[in-house]
């Protein structure tokens, strides 16, 4: 059964509204103080503006060693509840029918709660290697916080044997995921009265041409590959998800702005995909626009991105997690996590945590008590293996 300590920790963490637009400092400082009370060394790596922070803590080995060992990684921010119809207060943990409801219970404060609840047990174990906690900010808006922490740890010369990213996988090991790349495009044309169409340059219509080009690229990936059949969506995807433009039905629009994303399979360079989009603009769209309006322009801005992740079967961390869970099936997922960032930093990683990804980001988000129980058992075995 899930321990009261995990339930209490989850209740505390959910009560902090760490929606990405807010600061996470109150949560981070609460965790820092709780760990410090156990004598655990804690470092905070703040955002450039100081409004948010990562937390890194080390439970040293029995001989005091802090190098090597396993990192337990989790993000502290959550997605908004705006416009969602919740049956309970999303920031007050509610138990019903073997489930704990609240924003972040599944994604991914449940994993963090289970780890923090077991700190006293971890400290009492005669471990030969250290165990680390890495809690980040702003994962949900582009994995912004983790690179700040990883860079500082690199400067300190810190080394690790592996990392477990506790995103919701129903406690099943995940060994690969796609990258995510989010871009904003701004199209600048020329306004005119709609009865004088030739004197303007219609930003919406040119944006629409580019959006159709992005759809064509997406179709090419779907039809031609490359493919990896271990993924639920076995090819690279591209979609346009937001658009705005125009001021009136009788005015040629001067501006149009839209956002699109692509999720690349491991091994597919995201720079190459974006280069195809920009080549179409430079070679076809802009020349046509500038025949109408010499000062027309199209701008791109990268909004967010996280690298793909692909862990080799031979990695020790993979074999360890598979052995501890008793699950050796190869799983790859379309959603992104911070695992790719840890891998880029030279830290072998695997994704495994409580809860189902299908429950994340939705109204009435929940994690099953049985999942938290499995997570506790897994973390105990992990610590004992050290």
């Amino acid at each position: 059964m899930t321990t009261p300590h995990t339930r209490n920790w989850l209740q505390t963490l959910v009560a902090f509204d760490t929606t990405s637009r807010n600061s996470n400092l109150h949560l981070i400082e609460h965790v820092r103080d709780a760990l410090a009370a156990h004598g655990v060394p804690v470092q905070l790596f703040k955002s450039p503006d100081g409004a948010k922070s990562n937390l890194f803590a080390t439970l040293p080995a029995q001989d005091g060693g802090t190098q090597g060992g396993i990192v337990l990684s989790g993000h502290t921010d959550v997605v908004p509840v705006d416009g969602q119809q919740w049956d309970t207060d999303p920031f007050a943990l509610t138990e019903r029918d073997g489930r704990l409801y609240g924003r972040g219970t599944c994604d991914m404060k449940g994993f963090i709660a289970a780890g923090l609840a077991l700190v006293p047990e971890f400290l009492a174990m005669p471990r030969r290697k250290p165990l680390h906690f890495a809690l980040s900010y702003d994962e949900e808006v582009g994995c912004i916080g983790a690179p700040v922490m990883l860079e500082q740890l690199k400067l300190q010369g810190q080394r690790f044997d592996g990392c477990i990213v506790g995103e919701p996988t129903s406690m099943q090991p995940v060994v690969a995921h796609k990258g995510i790349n989010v871009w904003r495009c701004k199209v600048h044309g020329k306004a005119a009265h709609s009865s004088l169409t030739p004197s303007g340059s219609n930003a919406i219509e040119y944006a629409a041409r580019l959006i159709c080009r992005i759809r064509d690229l997406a179709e090419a990936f779907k039809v031609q590959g490359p493919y990896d059949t271990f993924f639920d969506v076995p090819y690279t995807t591209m979609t346009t998800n937001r658009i705005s433009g125009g001021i009136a039905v009788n005015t040629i629009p001067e501006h149009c702005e839209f956002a699109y994303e692509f999720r690349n399979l491991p091994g597919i360079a995201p720079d190459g995909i974006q280069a195809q989009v920009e080549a179409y603009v430079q070679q076809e769209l802009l020349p046509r626009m500038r025949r109408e309006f010499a000062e027309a322009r199209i701008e791109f801005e990268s909004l967010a991105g996280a690298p793909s992740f692909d862990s080799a079967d031979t990695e020790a961390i993979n074999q360890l997690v598979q052995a501890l869970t008793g699950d050796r099936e190869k799983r790859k997922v379309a959603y992104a996590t911070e695992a790719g960032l840890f891998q880029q930093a030279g830290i072998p990683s695997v994704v495994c945590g409580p809860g189902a990804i299908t429950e994340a980001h939705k109204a009435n988000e929940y994690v099953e008590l049985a999942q938290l129980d499995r997570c506790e058992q897994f973390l105990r075995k992990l610590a004992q293996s050290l």
Side-chain angles (χ1 to χ4, degrees), residues 13-29 31 51-56 73-79 91 103-105 107-110 112-113 116 133-140 145-146 149 167 338:
L13 296 176
V14 167
F16 290 107
D17 180 358
T18 52
T19 305
S20 302
R21 61 180 172 237
N22 301 332
S23 172
N24 73 336
L25 286 178
H26 292 307
L27 182 152
I28 289 293
E29 290 167 353
V31 174
K52 301 180 181 183
S53 185
N54 301 292
L55 178 148
F56 187 80
S73 166
H75 64 80
T76 60
D77 62 317
V78 297
V79 297
F91 299 105
R103 175 55 88 221
T105 50
D107 186 16
M108 54 178 295
K109 291 179 176 179
I112 298 172
L116 293 174
F133 286 87
L135 308 185
S136 65
Y137 66 88
D138 281 0
E139 186 271 352
E140 295 287 7
M149 174 167 48
E167 290 277 6
E338 292 173 334

Side-chain angles (χ1 to χ4, degrees), residues 1 7 20 25 43 54 67 83 87 122 144 164 176 190-191 196 210 244 254 284 317 324 345 355 383:
M1 294 293 292
R7 191 189 308 245
S20 302
L25 286 178
Q43 298 181 78
N54 301 292
Q67 291 287 353
D87 297 331
F122 295 155
I144 295 171
I164 297 171
K190 182 182 179 182
L196 304 172
L210 180 52
S244 64
E254 181 178 2
E284 298 192 37
I317 187 67
L324 295 179

Side-chain angles (χ1 to χ4, degrees), residues 190-201 247-253:
K190 182 182 179 182
H193 193 287
S194 60
S195 66
L196 304 172
T197 298
S199 64
S201 182
I247 60 170
V249 295
N250 59 354
T251 303
I252 300 297

Side-chain angles (χ1 to χ4, degrees), residues 36-86:
H38 290 289
V40 176
V42 177
Q43 298 181 78
L44 301 188
F45 301 117
K46 291 193 174 182
S47 59
D49 63 4
K52 301 180 181 183
S53 185
N54 301 292
L55 178 148
F56 187 80
T58 297
L59 282 59
Q62 191 173 25
D63 62 1
T66 58
Q67 291 287 353
I70 303 297
V71 179
L72 303 180
S73 166
H75 64 80
T76 60
D77 62 317
V78 297
V79 297
V81 299
D82 305 26
Q84 295 183 337
Q85 297 299 312
W86 283 72

Side-chain angles (χ1 to χ4, degrees), residues 118-135:
L118 293 174
V119 165
E121 292 186 39
F122 295 155
L123 291 172
M125 293 178 184
R127 289 171 292 103
R128 293 181 294 106
K129 292 189 176 184
L131 191 63
H132 313 271
F133 286 87
L135 308 185

